[in-house]
Amino acid sequence: MQIRGIRGAITVEEDKAEEILAATAELLTAILQANPRLEPEDIASILFTLSPDICSAYPARAARQMGWTDVPLMCAQEVPVPGGLPRCIRVLIHWNTDQAQAQVRHIYLRDAAALRPDLAAVNMQPGIVKR
């Protein structure tokens, strides 16, 4: 079994706790739908980052609210690069799986689709969640 990375990102309109938690849950749900073999017990860890203009909630809390209580979670602030995407929540899921990296589906929602337009195009395939 290998460990594979699943990447994803989503943006929020405002730095409000309820919006951060709802957006994070939306992103994680989309990742689950796009990777149907992903189970919380197969997740080695998850790293969330937030752009510097978001600080009202930990996105990891949304994962806990989804029942991912045994998954190691970490939150950090994204590097404040000039011109970086504002109000963005990013995730890197470390997944223990026998799937090839090419089979892993990464999800970029809302304005975050601009971060990886190549992957956003892949997500337009039938059966893959894209919002």
Side-chain angles (χ1 to χ4, degrees):
M1 188 171 292
Q2 301 286 321
I3 192 162
R4 302 292 183 196
I6 304 175
R7 284 296 323 268
I10 192 168
T11 53
V12 295
E13 290 295 318
E14 296 182 78
D15 179 23
K16 292 186 175 179
E18 59 274 4
E19 191 169 344
I20 293 165
L21 297 175
T24 303
E26 178 183 343
L27 176 60
L28 294 176
T29 298
I31 288 171
L32 284 169
Q33 290 173 348
N35 296 280
R37 293 179 55 197
L38 178 63
E39 296 289 339
E41 59 266 12
D42 295 329
I43 298 173
S45 63
I46 300 176
L47 174 64
F48 294 95
T49 65
L50 299 102
S51 55
D53 50 1
I54 302 175
C55 62
S56 294
Y58 294 111
R61 189 168 144 213
R64 295 280 185 244
Q65 291 172 343
M66 292 174 63
W68 297 10
T69 56
D70 294 330
V71 177
L73 307 172
M74 176 72 68
C75 298
Q77 187 178 68
E78 192 70 32
V79 177
V81 175
L85 185 63
R87 297 177 309 282
C88 186
I89 302 164
R90 292 173 172 88
V91 65
L92 173 59
I93 300 174
H94 302 103
W95 179 23
N96 296 309
T97 182
D98 57 2
Q99 285 194 208
Q101 188 68 53
Q103 295 175 295
V104 174
R105 296 291 169 241
H106 310 277
I107 302 295
Y108 291 82
L109 304 176
R110 303 179 190 172
D111 293 342
L115 294 172
R116 290 296 306 264
D118 56 325
L119 295 178
V122 169
N123 293 338
M124 295 300 286
Q125 296 174 6
I128 301 298
V129 173
K130 175 70 174 86
R131 298 179 191 170

